[in-house]
């Protein structure tokens, strides 16, 4: 699948923002979703906010430290990504408010399964769109 262009500039500022974690292979599902959130007024940071010359891990760490809310899009691809799992672990360690959005069935890796099972989950792939939107609206900050 061709890489999609980022739908908008990632948030860069001092106001509270949502950190979005996902596998790049899922961009075709994630990008339309976060674009909708951004249009609704949410400040969104995702890894397209890293300048090409920046030290990637440092920028991820800074964004995680500054985030007010963490959303991970769960799929087999994201759960196979060490970068995604590192970000999930870091957000859990920081006790950042956390939401999992399952975009398809996926097994949580044993390293994070116990911790993630206690966190709120929305199963977008099995919900009617109106129900998903309603639950999401009550969940996002």
């Amino acid at each position: 699948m061709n890489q999609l262009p980022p739908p908008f500039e990632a948030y860069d500022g001092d106001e509270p923002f949502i950190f979005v974690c996902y596998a790049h292979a899922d961009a075709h599902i994630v990008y339309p979703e976060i674009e909708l959130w951004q249009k609704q007024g949410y400040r969104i940071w995702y890894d397209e906010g890293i300048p090409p010359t920046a030290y990637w891990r440092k920028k991820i760490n800074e964004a995680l430290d500054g985030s007010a809310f963490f959303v991970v899009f769960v799929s087999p691809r994201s759960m196979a990504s060490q970068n995604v799992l590192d970000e999930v672990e870091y957000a859990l360690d920081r006790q950042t408010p956390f939401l999992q959005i399952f975009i398809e069935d996926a097994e949580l890796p044993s390293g994070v399964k116990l911790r993630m099972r206690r966190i709120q989950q929305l199963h977008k792939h099995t919900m009617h769109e109106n129900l998903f939107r309603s639950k999401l609206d009550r969940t996002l900050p």
Side-chain angles (χ1 to χ4, degrees), residues 29 33 37 42 69-75 98-106 108 116-141:
I29 297 170
E33 187 65 37
W37 302 353
Y42 291 102
F69 199 83
F70 182 90
V71 174
V72 59
F73 285 86
V74 178
S75 71
F98 191 111
L99 173 65
Q100 303 169 73
I101 298 178
F102 280 74
I103 55 177
E104 59 188 88
D105 286 330
L108 300 175
M116 286 179 68
R117 286 198 181 273
R118 298 184 303 207
I119 306 293
Q120 185 167 356
Q121 303 174 6
L122 292 178
H123 290 262
K124 180 178 179 15
H125 67 292
T126 63
M127 300 172 82
H128 186 278
E129 185 69 12
N130 290 339
L131 180 58
F132 172 73
R133 292 275 155 235
S134 174
K135 288 182 179 278
L136 184 66
D137 288 346
R138 291 192 308 261
T139 305
L140 290 178

Side-chain angles (χ1 to χ4, degrees), residues 26 35-36 43 45 47 50 52 55 63 67 79 81 95 103-104 108 111 114-115 122:
D26 295 329
E35 186 174 25
L36 179 62
R43 290 176 292 278
W45 190 95
D47 61 2
I50 301 174
Y55 179 54
S67 65
M79 293 298 97
S81 166
Q95 299 181 342
I103 55 177
E104 59 188 88
L108 300 175
L114 183 61
R115 295 179 78 190
L122 292 178

Side-chain angles (χ1 to χ4, degrees), residues 24-63:
H24 282 245
D26 295 329
H28 64 288
I29 297 170
V30 173
Y31 283 4
E33 187 65 37
I34 65 173
E35 186 174 25
L36 179 62
W37 302 353
Q38 195 243 6
K39 287 178 180 176
Q40 291 173 329
Y42 291 102
R43 290 176 292 278
I44 308 294
W45 190 95
Y46 61 121
D47 61 2
E48 295 301 332
I50 301 174
T53 59
Y55 179 54
W56 186 82
R57 288 202 179 276
K58 180 177 186 258
K59 288 297 184 184
I60 294 284
N61 190 267
E62 289 170 354

